[in-house]
Amino acid sequence: MSDRVVVIGGGPGGIEAARQVADLGLPAVLVEQRERLGGTPIFANYAALTPYFANAEEAMDAMIAELAQRGRAEVRTSTTVTGLSGEAGAFTVELSTGERLDAGAVIVATGFDHFDPGRERQIYNYYQYPDVLALQDLEAQLKEHKVVVPSTGRPPASICWVQCVGSRDRNIGNEWCSKVCCGIASKQAIEVRKLSPETRAYIFYIDMRMYGYWETQLYWPAQEQYHVQYIKGIITEVLERGDRLIVRGEDTTMGRPMEVPMDMVILSVGMEPSAGTKAMSDVLGIERNRHGFIEVINPPLDTVTTSRRGIFACGAALGPADLEDTISSAGAAAGKAVALVRRDNLAVA
Ligand SMILES: Cc1cc2nc3c(=O)[nH]c(=O)nc-3n(C[C@H](O)[C@H](O)[C@H](O)COP(=O)(O)OP(=O)(O)OC[C@H]3O[C@@H](n4cnc5c(N)ncnc54)[C@H](O)[C@@H]3O)c2cc1C
Ligand code: SF4
């Protein structure tokens, strides 16, 4: 039997899960495939985090520093898991570095990938036009405290966000709502208006889905303080005309076609199961749901227990999640993993 908990994925979910396992008194090993911890907020260059506009890098560094203080949590970067044998309470975990670890439980925190807006259909011309960006591309600019049209290097006179790109789209098989993109677009629009007050900002949406307090923290301030224009409409294509982009679609409130010239278009891309999430579900022998995220066996009352006893999951590996969801499920996964290991050890004693 082993009381060690192996956590796979060093994003916010994995860091929090490892910290909580250590706080609950058991040894944790956090395995991250990249060279450093921090997950998508770090490697995708997020600037400020919703809803409080905290600096993403500082927030992740604070989490990593807290984890480092826990003597019981060990970090293995540039490493992944290649095999698993045994059973709950007595697993053997094989690492890509050739080592083997015994573990009582495993937590999967392998996160999400951004939808690739050029993958299925080319209606937004993401790969053709330099001034069509995705959310994370604008995050990288915001991190540098600038907003410029890539083709000119000048601030845009007009910018718009196109919502639900790669989400809620049965044609491409991504039926889910990605949950965060309405809030992220609103947050970015506020930041753009702060950095460049002359820029006119528009958000084209099917319907705005602002969860919980994000309504008052982001949606209303965006309109009332920063004069971001929300337009209910479906965008069907982005074209180039002269040196401007043309956003074409239907204004669904007015029930008529629309064609709006823009300097810059931001595609609000959704969240998909990461390649690592898919790979780890195969390696660990746990089920994925029909959307490709990790399946839990008893929702909504148990949000972290997977189909194989002793293996739990948290964060965006389970489906679209913001940081609050991620931290909450990481705590739940850590608690259940520790309880299971203690119970199994107790049963043997
Ligand atoms: C554009 C955009 C902006 C966002 N901004 C915000 C925001 O401002 N506020 C907010 O609350 N939420 C935001 N989110 C959501 C937020 O990014 C997620 O909630 C959060 O990153 C989920 O954390 P995670 O640890 O589950 O996954 P991730 O952050 O994706 O981390 C997963 C980690 O697992 C690692 N990994 C994957 N596979 C393996 C493997 N096989 N072996 C080892 N390691 C592996 C990856 O390298 C990565 O480090 C945003 C999302 C998007 C799309
Ligand atoms: S959060 Fe908003 S933009 Fe994202 S998929 Fe849901 S409705 Fe569409």
Side-chain angles (χ1 to χ4, degrees):
M1 303 302 279
S2 171
D3 62 359
R4 181 186 287 126
V5 177
V6 170
V7 181
I8 311 171
I15 297 170
E16 179 66 8
R19 184 184 70 82
Q20 294 224 23
V21 167
D23 280 350
L24 290 168
L26 294 189
V29 174
L30 178 56
V31 176
E32 165 57 44
Q33 66 186 3
R34 289 189 160 84
E35 286 169 7
R36 62 157 297 184
L37 299 182
T40 307
I42 293 301
F43 65 75
N45 288 308
Y46 294 174
L49 296 173
T50 58
Y52 304 109
F53 293 84
N55 179 297
E57 194 143 351
E58 287 172 14
M60 288 305 115
D61 282 349
M63 287 190 81
I64 295 163
E66 261 209 63
L67 180 71
Q69 288 170 2
R70 307 309 200 270
R72 284 173 178 276
E74 193 187 320
V75 174
R76 307 276 182 95
T77 50
S78 305
T79 305
T80 187
V81 169
T82 53
L84 180 88
S85 54
E87 56 187 36
F91 286 123
T92 300
V93 180
E94 288 169 36
L95 302 182
S96 54
T97 47
E99 293 152 276
R100 289 178 171 199
L101 292 174
D102 58 80
V106 175
I107 298 176
V108 185
T110 42
F112 72 101
D113 285 343
H114 298 103
F115 174 73
D116 174 354
R119 190 188 74 193
E120 296 283 341
R121 293 179 288 164
Q122 313 304 322
I123 55 176
Y124 305 116
N125 284 306
Y126 177 71
Y127 289 112
Q128 277 68 41
Y129 304 154
D131 302 336
V132 177
L133 307 182
L135 284 178
Q136 66 273 24
D137 304 323
L138 184 60
E139 284 292 312
Q141 284 203 13
L142 292 169
K143 198 168 175 180
E144 302 297 319
H145 305 290
K146 63 171 190 184
V147 185
V148 292
V149 183
S151 64
T152 65
R154 289 197 296 272
S158 56
I159 183 171
C160 75
W161 284 258
V162 177
Q163 298 305 100
C164 299
V165 174
S167 308
R168 306 175 66 200
D169 187 339
R170 290 186 171 187
N171 291 321
I172 61 167
N174 290 1
E175 297 171 4
W176 58 89
C177 165
S178 287
K179 203 170 175 180
V180 297
C181 8
C182 280
I184 308 301
S186 300
K187 179 216 71 149
Q188 290 190 342
I190 290 173
E191 288 178 291
V192 166
R193 293 276 300 155
K194 276 186 190 168
L195 279 168
S196 173
E198 305 302 315
T199 300
R200 296 184 307 281
Y202 305 84
I203 297 180
F204 293 107
Y205 68 96
I206 302 173
D207 43 25
M208 282 312 278
R209 295 189 171 176
M210 306 292 281
Y211 293 85
Y213 301 140
W214 284 20
E215 181 90 5
T216 48
Q217 288 160 331
L218 298 165
Y219 180 60
W220 291 114
Q223 292 180 75
E224 292 170 357
Q225 282 167 256
Y226 297 97
H227 307 293
V228 176
Q229 304 290 316
Y230 287 76
I231 299 169
K232 193 171 172 65
I234 295 172
I235 303 307
T236 48
E237 55 186 340
V238 178
L239 304 168
E240 232 175 16
R241 191 175 296 156
D243 57 358
R244 306 214 60 193
L245 295 169
I246 302 293
V247 176
R248 197 181 265 175
E250 189 194 337
D251 180 328
T252 45
T253 305
M254 306 303 282
R256 63 183 181 207
M258 66 178 163
E259 218 181 70
V260 195
M262 287 286 158
D263 289 337
M264 226 167 144
V265 173
I266 313 299
L267 304 176
S268 287
V269 292
M271 299 169 83
E272 292 191 316
S274 72
T277 292
K278 291 179 189 161
M280 284 305 99
S281 71
D282 291 340
V283 166
L284 304 174
I286 54 175
E287 300 291 324
R288 297 196 294 266
N289 64 24
R290 70 188 179 94
H291 306 296
F293 293 99
I294 304 288
E295 176 105 283
V296 290
I297 54 168
N298 191 24
L301 300 181
D302 179 340
T303 54
V304 296
T305 300
T306 74
S307 57
R308 183 166 177 184
R309 188 163 181 266
I311 304 185
F312 304 90
C314 66
L318 290 167
D322 67 9
L323 285 167
E324 286 175 333
D325 301 331
T326 297
I327 299 302
S328 301
S329 62
K336 282 193 184 289
V338 169
L340 174 124
V341 168
R342 289 223 168 102
R343 221 172 30 237
D344 274 11
N345 283 340
L346 220 59
V348 163

